[in-house]
């Protein structure tokens, strides 16, 4: 199914069937993975893909790496500064391509710093579920430089290099539901 065949309308994110995750190289030898437990998004599908858009918000204080101490550090001013910047946002500004795999261009804001990013998106499809709800699924990924968003904390390693890589891979599995017509 091509993205251009999606039903027009305003779709709501089904957070219980979605995930916002990330991975970053740790100590130069392994990857640490994490996710956010609180997020929302709205997908507006227009008559054409050019008329479509997505807006998403992720609560930085909901970060979960399965380590309370690390999560606390990530919420601190060294990283997300969740107290001052409780959300990071994404607002699409355009699309490249029109098939089941395309690039979503938009503005990602973290810690008050906005940068253009490109998400490689794969459309899982559109279907009516067993309860009559119209759903669409997407998988998106991008890699960002955390330094570009003012997240520069690090620690030097004895053998050389640094504790936390600059590059962060973001992976999103999103399930959207089209509200039933009134």
């Amino acid at each position: 199914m091509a993205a251009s065949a999606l039903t027009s309308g305003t779709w709501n994110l089904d957070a219980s069937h979605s995930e916002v995750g990330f991975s970053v190289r740790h100590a130069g030898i392994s990857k640490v993975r994490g996710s956010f437990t609180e997020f929302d998004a709205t997908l507006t599908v227009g008559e054409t893909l050019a008329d479509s858009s997505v807006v998403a918000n992720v609560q930085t204080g909901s970060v979960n790496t399965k380590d309370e101490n690390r999560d606390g550090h990530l919420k601190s001013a060294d990283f997300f500064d969740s107290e001052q910047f409780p959300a990071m946002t994404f607002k699409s500004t355009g699309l490249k391509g029109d098939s089941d795999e395309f690039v979503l261009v938009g503005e990602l804001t973290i810690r008050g710093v906005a940068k253009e990013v490109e998400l490689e998106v794969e459309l899982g499809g559109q279907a009516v579920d067993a309860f009559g709800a119209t759903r669409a699924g997407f998988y998106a990924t991008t890699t960002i430089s955390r330094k570009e968003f003012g997240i520069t904390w690090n620690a030097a390693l004895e053998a050389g290099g640094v504790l936390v890589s600059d590059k962060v891979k973001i992976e999103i599995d999103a399930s959207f539901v089209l509200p039933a017509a009134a």
Side-chain angles (χ1 to χ4, degrees), residues 37-68:
T37 59
E38 296 176 26
F39 48 87
D40 62 76
T42 303
L43 168 67
T44 303
V45 177
E47 293 300 318
T48 68
L49 280 179
D51 297 330
S52 301
S53 63
V54 66
V55 175
N57 295 292
V58 176
Q59 300 305 306
T60 60
S62 74
V63 66
N64 180 0
T65 64
K66 300 179 185 169
D67 181 306
E68 286 184 35

Side-chain angles (χ1 to χ4, degrees), residues 120-148:
E120 293 181 21
V121 180
E122 177 184 327
L123 171 62
Q126 177 178 313
V128 176
D129 69 16
F131 304 101
T134 302
R135 296 180 168 276
F138 300 87
Y139 171 75
T141 184
T142 192
T143 300
I144 63 168
S145 162
R146 61 188 183 89
K147 290 177 186 173
E148 288 184 354

Side-chain angles (χ1 to χ4, degrees), residues 25-28 146 153-157 161-165:
R25 186 149 307 276
H26 177 259
R146 61 188 183 89
W153 182 91
N154 227 324
L157 299 174
V162 291
L163 187 63
V164 183
S165 169

Side-chain angles (χ1 to χ4, degrees), residues 28-181:
I29 59 170
S30 64
K31 287 185 180 178
V32 169
R33 298 179 191 284
S35 63
F36 296 90
T37 59
E38 296 176 26
F39 48 87
D40 62 76
T42 303
L43 168 67
T44 303
V45 177
E47 293 300 318
T48 68
L49 280 179
D51 297 330
S52 301
S53 63
V54 66
V55 175
N57 295 292
V58 176
Q59 300 305 306
T60 60
S62 74
V63 66
N64 180 0
T65 64
K66 300 179 185 169
D67 181 306
E68 286 184 35
N69 289 330
R70 180 173 44 227
D71 294 347
H73 192 199
L74 289 171
K75 294 173 193 178
S76 78
D78 286 342
F79 289 92
F80 291 122
D81 196 356
S82 297
E83 190 171 310
Q84 185 174 350
F85 302 102
M88 54 182 150
T89 61
F90 176 82
K91 294 179 183 178
S92 67
T93 57
L95 289 166
K96 296 178 184 177
D98 60 3
S99 65
D100 57 352
E101 292 184 26
F102 53 92
V103 174
L104 180 63
V105 180
E107 184 178 87
L108 177 63
T109 302
I110 303 173
R111 289 178 55 117
V113 177
K115 296 286 181 185
E116 184 178 276
V117 297
E118 293 186 355
L119 292 142
E120 293 181 21
V121 180
E122 177 184 327
L123 171 62
Q126 177 178 313
V128 176
D129 69 16
F131 304 101
T134 302
R135 296 180 168 276
F138 300 87
Y139 171 75
T141 184
T142 192
T143 300
I144 63 168
S145 162
R146 61 188 183 89
K147 290 177 186 173
E148 288 184 354
F149 293 93
I151 303 173
T152 59
W153 182 91
N154 227 324
L157 299 174
E158 187 177 303
V162 291
L163 187 63
V164 183
S165 169
D166 175 50
K167 299 295 180 192
V168 179
K169 183 175 183 178
I170 299 170
E171 295 179 277
I172 303 162
D173 279 300
S175 178
F176 287 90
V177 177
L178 184 63

